[in-house]
Amino acid sequence: MASSSLFAVARRLISLGRRGGLLPVPPYRAVASSSRSNSAEEGTPPARPPTLGSTLWPLGNPCTLLVPEIDLWAAQPRNCLRDVDLRRIVKEMRTRLRHRQALEVSEWMNIKGHVKFLPKDHAVHLDLIGHIHGVGAAETYFNNLSDKDKTVKPYGALLNCYTREHLVDKALAHFQKMKELGFVFIALPYNNLMSLYTNIGQHELVPLVIAEMKRNGSVPDNFSYNICINAYGTRANFFGLENTLEEMESVVASHYIKGDLRENAYSTLQKAEAKMDKKDSGACSHLISLHGHLGDKSEVKRLWALQMLNCKRHLNTDYTNMLAVLVKFDEIAEAEDLLKEWESSKNAFNFKFPNILLKGYC
């Protein structure tokens, strides 16, 4: 009993000695150990080298400078700086509200020439300057841009700076300039103005902005409707609130159409029409457009006849909308008749009409 326990202790000591490198490992054990190690290494994928993003994300302290880390990472022979990765890092840092570090990376990639700045890059850079150094510095950056870089995106970024700082006069003047240049064709600039009026407590002006947006042919997005609903709710304007919610049903229908859920789209459009004010020209035009996307000629013509009957005044946007749908259906003869009808309406001339028909001829 004593001898067996002594043997056990001896084996334990020998094993510990070998593990610690104090005693040699027998040849057959070394081969077995080596083969097990190799098989384990073969079964485990090699560790992936750190990316630039994974190197920078942990450095969240705003006081931490990122340029030395980028230079260090780029100095490694196996690492390659790609413009798509640098843009993604700037975008992610803006999302995480790390504006100072995002600006540092943006400045570095511009100065070093790793990324040739496009108007969208200038817009991001301008917005970051506004966050960190204020509107004055953002204006200086904008004014120093070349004419070819002063496109809709940098203009929109400067408008966002004005609205963020509640600079009403500058925002309105800049918005007007954008309209003159033809840069106000999506919901975003209008959303900026509506957010501005909301933040300064002038909720009564929000519906006027969304009405202008629709008159000018821009389609409100979900954010537009959310701002408008909040404005009506703040003022306890329940009539306006209900109308907006009803209008949003047609937005839901458009998503069904995009998802090719035709039955859902038809059902939603029927509900929207049932609640629609028959004298609302804009709502009727929107339904015509949606039925046009569904390819339903009979519904389009029925709604157009309803619009002509109930709406006292027919705007250019009503005619252009219907003309575009007829061209989409390849109903060229009917489109020509509608063009003649528009000419006799005494509405102001608009180049969109002949252009739409010209596309149909092509």
Side-chain angles (χ1 to χ4, degrees), residues 3 16-17 20 101 147 154 214 228 275 292:
S3 62
L16 290 172
Q101 290 183 327
D147 290 339
K214 290 186 282 190
C228 200
K275 297 176 181 178

Side-chain angles (χ1 to χ4, degrees), residues 4-194:
S4 63
S5 62
L6 284 173
F7 277 121
V9 171
R11 289 196 195 97
R12 179 66 175 159
L13 289 172
I14 291 169
S15 175
L16 290 172
R18 283 173 178 157
R19 288 183 190 175
L22 301 175
L23 295 174
V25 179
Y28 70 90
R29 292 261 180 102
V31 171
S33 175
S34 175
S35 63
R36 282 197 300 270
S37 176
N38 288 338
S39 64
E41 289 178 3
E42 289 172 3
T44 304
R48 296 177 63 182
T51 64
L52 180 58
S54 66
T55 302
L56 300 181
W57 299 141
L59 308 176
N61 189 324
C63 298
T64 302
L65 296 177
L66 299 185
V67 166
E69 298 294 333
I70 299 174
D71 287 332
L72 189 63
W73 186 89
Q76 300 296 322
R78 67 175 181 273
N79 293 335
C80 176
L81 281 172
R82 300 188 307 165
D83 56 354
V84 63
D85 295 326
L86 292 168
R87 285 190 173 107
R88 187 184 299 117
I89 287 169
V90 172
K91 180 180 177 180
E92 279 290 321
M93 286 187 172
R94 290 178 74 203
T95 303
R96 300 181 188 198
L97 303 183
R98 292 165 60 173
H99 297 119
R100 187 175 298 279
Q101 290 183 327
L103 179 59
E104 182 188 0
V105 176
S106 182
E107 286 175 343
W108 178 86
M109 65 192 210
N110 186 23
I111 293 171
K112 292 283 187 178
H114 288 292
V115 174
K116 182 180 175 164
F117 262 32
L118 302 173
K120 64 178 182 179
D121 300 305
H122 286 298
V124 170
H125 197 79
L126 188 151
D127 181 71
L128 290 170
I129 289 174
H131 270 290
I132 303 304
H133 301 300
V135 171
E139 287 176 325
T140 300
Y141 183 83
F142 178 82
N143 292 332
N144 288 335
L145 290 176
S146 65
D147 290 339
K148 69 180 180 62
D149 286 325
K150 286 183 180 178
T151 63
V152 60
K153 289 185 180 294
Y155 264 94
L158 187 56
L159 177 64
N160 186 54
C161 289
Y162 289 145
T163 56
R164 187 170 59 221
E165 298 300 323
H166 304 170
L167 300 173
V168 179
D169 292 339
K170 285 194 172 186
L172 292 176
H174 192 71
F175 181 82
Q176 183 60 36
K177 179 67 174 176
M178 290 179 68
K179 284 176 65 177
E180 292 169 4
L181 293 170
F183 289 163
V184 181
F185 50 83
I186 57 174
L188 184 58
Y190 293 102
N191 290 347
N192 278 327
L193 281 190
M194 289 191 287

